[in-house]
Amino acid sequence: MTVRPVFDANATNGSKDLGNLPEWDLTDLYSAPDAPEIKRDLDWLEQACASFAADYEGKLATLDAAGFLDCVLRNEKIDTTAGRLMSYAGLRYYQLTTDAERAKFLSDLQEKVVNYSTPLVFFTLELNRLDDGHLDTLFAENDDLARYKPVFDRIRSMKPFQLSDELEKFLHDLGVVGDAWERLFDETIASLEFEIEGDALNIESTLNLLTEQDRSKREAASRELARVFSENIKIFARVHNTQAKEKEILDRWRGMPTPQTGRHLSNHVEPEVVEALRNAVVAAYPRLSHRYYELKRKWLGLDVMQVWDRNAPLPMEETRTVGWDDARDTVMNAYAGFDPRMAEIAQPFFDKGWIDAGVNPGKAPGAFAHPTVTDVHPYVMLNYLGKPRDVMTLAHELGHGVHQVLAAGQGEMLSSTPLTLAETASVFGEMLTFRRMLDNAKTDQERKILLAGKVEDMINTVVRQIAFYDFECKLHEARRSGELTPDDINALWMSVQAESLGEGFEFMEGYETFWAYIPHFVHSPFYVYAYAFGDGLVNALYAVYEENPDGFQEKYFDMLKAGGSKHHKELLEPFGLDASDPAFWDKGLSMIEGFIDELEAMEG
């Protein structure tokens, strides 16, 4: 394929319309890839890992409470240093994934960190051989050590699936091979080139066209996505086959009962809770997505919807570009309206180079908030194109950032939040921003456009992600019986798409390949249900806030500050909520239904 420059989407849309988009300043991590501090930290890490193993391997059972606390604190410092190094290398790489030097820097650093940390594999293995009673005694003797009990509980949940020390070290070393497949996926996606009306666009800019008012542009983008995905489908099928097979081998050796078990354990959530969520959403497809898309079909004046109409703006919706300053003010005012402290925590993201917002050639697509390490601060990545939905993405990722700042007080080992709860603050940030915009709507038409946009976002977050989850379940199950051809994977994809979108859609030739670009399938198998979990949780939380706002903010901040130190049952108890109750999910889904009811009433 001829290599041509991939145009920044802003070059055609006019970046002047967006204002001054911020870029990351990574110097809070390291000043440069050749900074002496990187060598200093790598040297320290190598020595610290070796001395940790020398001091503690084979001796955990002999430690008293004070000795065990010292051991944990040393382990935490090692985590922090390794995390700082990998955060810097990873963030630089995501800014320009097509740059060979950045890719090499990340890969070399990753190999060193893995090699240095291999001697630490004994820690979790030995910890899991300790008797429950022995640990309980140590916790009772030392409150500072007892604070880490939730970490030990999560580690010990893997106890039934633990292999021999030698095999665990082997698998630890082998981890870089699986990571290489992830990088192949990232680099392939970032280098894809799509030609629309003579312009060469990257994937982010092309996907952005699916929300254009002009239907012919949406169709052109969809067909071009299908063409390019089809041309590269063998690579994507190879990546998915390899990753799924690697997972199947690991799960089989560990004795994991299902491919999803590992994710549920790391999320600290019971399989039956996830199953209740999944079943509630699938049962609600007719009341949610099917009903909404039937409304949308009428608004668009179509006999049947095509896939390029799914995220189309409404006919009465003006195509408008939201400048960066307006986006920032909208989100910050919404945050401040909830609680001034929330805006204060968010402010440095804009002022200090903690956000990278522009769409640039070679930059990773999508958006994320990366917590880095607890003694630095999070960084947010966006691909900001000035769409109203991009404002919601800013509200979402900034919510993650606020959560990560608040949870940092727990320290490195306790700050990390399970994925199911990690989406709470982000989706809540979106809800605050949406509600503020809805309250400020000046006409019924403006209100209708806002409500429809929110319903679509919720359907994308809940219905679409549960359909993704079902696709992954089918993919991993099918891979156990042998290699999957691209056609096999395509068929699995279509089986969940038709069910979730409803009969109002026709699927163009080529849409069956659209599984290929979803990064979560490769980077974090079964991650996707966390979005639906987070949306349902936030809808229930917001209902509590509306019913009884007094004192809600304090309880909300306490929940975010807890990080990963509490189980979801403990975190939700102060709000009178329980995610293990099947009715809990219906409460969250009923909010989406209520919005659709209002939209239907507007038609009358």
Side-chain angles (χ1 to χ4, degrees), residues 47-63:
Q47 179 275 324
C49 291
S51 63
F52 184 91
D55 291 346
Y56 294 115
E57 189 164 11
K59 301 169 191 167
L60 289 191
T62 67
L63 297 175

Side-chain angles (χ1 to χ4, degrees), residues 191-455:
S191 63
L192 292 181
E193 193 177 284
F194 304 85
E195 190 168 315
I196 309 281
E197 296 177 351
D199 288 340
L201 302 178
N202 65 8
I203 189 168
E204 197 69 37
S205 308
T206 310
L207 290 168
N208 184 57
L209 292 174
L210 299 180
T211 59
E212 282 287 324
Q213 187 68 262
D214 183 338
R215 194 174 190 228
S216 64
K217 282 188 179 176
R218 299 198 306 269
E219 179 177 356
S222 297
R223 295 198 183 280
E224 179 65 358
L225 286 164
R227 182 187 71 79
V228 175
F229 292 158
S230 297
E231 281 181 0
N232 293 274
I233 203 69
K234 286 184 179 176
I235 294 178
F236 293 121
R238 172 62 48 228
V239 169
H240 281 67
N241 267 292
T242 307
Q243 293 282 77
K245 183 60 182 175
E246 181 189 38
K247 188 173 191 325
E248 185 272 323
I249 293 167
L250 286 169
D251 288 348
R252 176 159 38 87
W253 275 76
R254 292 192 182 284
M256 297 263 183
T258 72
Q260 301 87 344
T261 300
R263 176 62 63 203
H264 298 338
L265 287 169
S266 67
N267 281 345
H268 209 42
V269 65
E270 300 75 18
E272 56 271 21
V273 172
V274 178
E275 195 63 14
L277 162 65
R278 183 260 169 206
N279 292 342
V281 173
V282 171
Y285 283 171
R287 307 195 308 274
L288 301 178
S289 48
H290 298 185
R291 188 159 66 113
Y292 173 74
Y293 288 131
E294 178 56 24
L295 267 178
K296 187 166 187 176
R297 182 188 65 74
K298 290 176 187 168
W299 293 334
L300 294 174
L302 300 171
D303 292 330
V304 66
M305 296 262 281
Q306 300 292 341
V307 291
W308 54 80
D309 299 316
R310 187 173 61 82
N311 284 325
L314 304 189
M316 72 290 287
E317 197 171 333
E318 289 178 21
T319 302
R320 66 187 183 98
T321 300
V322 183
W324 177 253
D325 290 349
D326 286 346
R328 180 196 60 214
D329 292 347
T330 300
V331 174
M332 289 295 280
N333 288 336
Y335 277 25
F338 173 71
D339 192 298
R341 289 171 295 178
M342 200 159 164
E344 283 168 25
I345 295 166
Q347 192 63 50
F349 283 84
F350 296 98
D351 298 342
K352 297 188 174 180
W354 299 2
I355 300 178
D356 197 287
V359 178
N360 298 308
K363 182 177 174 181
F368 63 74
H370 180 53
T372 71
V373 286
T374 52
D375 58 2
V376 186
H377 55 76
Y379 283 92
V380 163
M381 191 191 86
L382 306 170
N383 277 275
Y384 189 82
L385 289 159
K387 294 273 176 130
R389 280 198 172 115
D390 291 339
V391 181
M392 286 301 173
T393 303
L394 171 60
H396 181 102
E397 299 305 339
L398 206 56
H400 277 307
V402 167
H403 193 176
Q404 290 159 357
V405 168
L406 285 167
Q410 293 289 345
E412 202 62 34
M413 289 171 75
L414 281 162
S415 63
S416 181
T417 312
L419 294 176
T420 39
L421 297 167
E423 293 301 330
T424 307
S426 54
V427 180
F428 198 83
E430 277 188 78
M431 182 64 83
L432 291 173
T433 304
F434 163 70
R435 292 288 186 168
R436 185 171 186 87
M437 292 165 78
L438 197 65
D439 289 344
N440 292 337
K442 295 177 179 65
T443 64
D444 284 349
Q445 183 165 298
E446 195 179 337
R447 185 177 179 85
K448 179 178 179 177
I449 290 166
L450 284 167
L451 273 172
K454 185 59 179 170
V455 168

Side-chain angles (χ1 to χ4, degrees), residues 446-465:
E446 195 179 337
R447 185 177 179 85
K448 179 178 179 177
I449 290 166
L450 284 167
L451 273 172
K454 185 59 179 170
V455 168
E456 290 201 14
D457 286 344
M458 290 170 132
I459 286 173
N460 284 336
T461 304
V462 177
V463 170
R464 189 164 164 80
Q465 302 302 328

